Amino acid sequence: LDNQLKDMMSSLSKNPQRGILVALGDRSKQHPLLTARHFSHMAVLLQQDGTARKRLLALDKQRGRTHASMPGFVVAETINGKVKLRARHWGYSFTELLWMSILDILLYLPKEVIFHNCSIQMGLCEVFATYIRLIAIQRTLQGDGNTARIKQKFTSILAAFRDFNPSAWNIWIKDKISDVDEWGEVGYVLAWNGIDLVAPADLPPDSANN
């Protein structure tokens, strides 16, 4: 059953479909503790989805993949002269249905399970950090609208986290996100992205825009 859950999550990441999500939802309701064991795997799947890749327009359209980019081009020197390239980094493109589906799976779990201290140690905050990175990067690309639905659902989950386990919440918002610790504490990054659950009194302007 443990491997089945993991395989279903991997299938969802490769081909997001309502049927797979419904099946995963049923399993998550029946076995919430087993699902919580796969938080780190969820984070890995999201990381992989946000990785820059060659655009296949037909497949991207079928999957509902969203793309954003910085304006302008980068000029590179080659043996054939100068060429214009468009820079693409992590978070520039993503599959909205997958990111929404992972949030739905989290919502299937009882609060006593998802926000328990053990669940946090099993990788829940890794999942949260990946969502924050995506939302922040899309904002820097002026793609706020691309993540509007994700952000709304994600915010509701964070609010439940804050209310259900305030001690763990207070520790987490003072932490920093791995790989982008220059953005500052989680609480500042949330506020910069318009997720007003912390509202630090002395939020520095553009604290996450680095």
Side-chain angles (χ1 to χ4, degrees):
L1 183 57
D2 201 36
N3 288 333
Q4 287 179 4
L5 274 170
K6 189 173 182 178
D7 290 343
M8 290 172 71
M9 290 177 189
S10 297
S11 297
L12 182 68
S13 71
K14 296 173 183 176
N15 187 22
Q17 291 184 352
R18 185 68 186 172
I20 300 176
L21 175 60
V22 171
L24 259 174
D26 290 340
R27 294 291 178 88
S28 298
K29 292 174 185 176
Q30 296 168 4
H31 307 283
L33 293 176
L34 282 180
T35 303
R37 288 177 56 180
H38 294 290
F39 285 151
S40 292
H41 185 55
M42 293 180 194
V44 168
L45 295 176
L46 294 173
Q47 286 278 357
Q48 292 174 345
D49 185 74
T51 300
R53 64 184 71 175
K54 182 178 180 180
R55 293 182 63 171
L56 302 173
L57 296 181
L59 181 60
D60 284 357
K61 184 176 181 180
Q62 177 184 341
R63 287 170 52 90
R65 194 160 178 83
T66 299
H67 297 278
S69 60
M70 293 290 287
F73 295 88
V74 176
V75 177
E77 291 281 357
T78 72
I79 58 174
N80 296 317
K82 294 181 179 180
V83 295
K84 290 182 178 180
L85 303 174
R86 190 178 294 278
R88 298 176 61 216
H89 303 286
W90 190 92
Y92 279 34
S93 62
F94 64 97
T95 308
E96 184 194 37
L97 182 56
L98 173 63
W99 292 72
M100 291 290 287
S101 296
I102 295 295
L103 292 177
D104 286 334
I105 293 171
L106 297 181
L107 287 169
Y108 287 135
L109 303 178
K111 293 179 181 178
E112 306 83 47
V113 173
I114 184 175
F115 302 129
H116 193 279
N117 290 335
C118 291
S119 295
I120 294 171
Q121 294 174 359
M122 286 190 288
L124 178 64
C125 291
E126 295 176 35
V127 178
F128 288 168
T130 309
Y131 277 92
I132 295 171
R133 287 182 63 197
L134 179 72
I135 293 168
I137 288 171
Q138 285 290 315
R139 185 186 178 197
T140 64
L141 299 173
Q142 299 181 346
D144 301 68
N146 295 337
T147 56
R149 295 202 311 153
I150 293 172
K151 181 178 172 181
Q152 182 179 21
K153 186 169 290 190
F154 180 53
T155 300
S156 68
I157 293 175
L158 291 184
F161 177 25
R162 176 198 60 191
D163 297 340
F164 189 84
N165 192 341
S167 59
W169 166 266
N170 288 329
I171 293 172
W172 179 62
I173 61 173
K174 295 176 182 177
D175 200 357
K176 294 185 178 181
I177 300 172
S178 177
D179 298 331
V180 287
D181 53 3
E182 69 274 11
W183 286 1
E185 295 180 355
V186 168
Y188 289 113
V189 183
L190 288 174
W192 182 81
N193 284 285
I195 300 178
D196 300 321
L197 299 174
V198 186
D202 300 313
L203 178 68
D206 292 335
S207 60
N209 193 14
N210 292 315

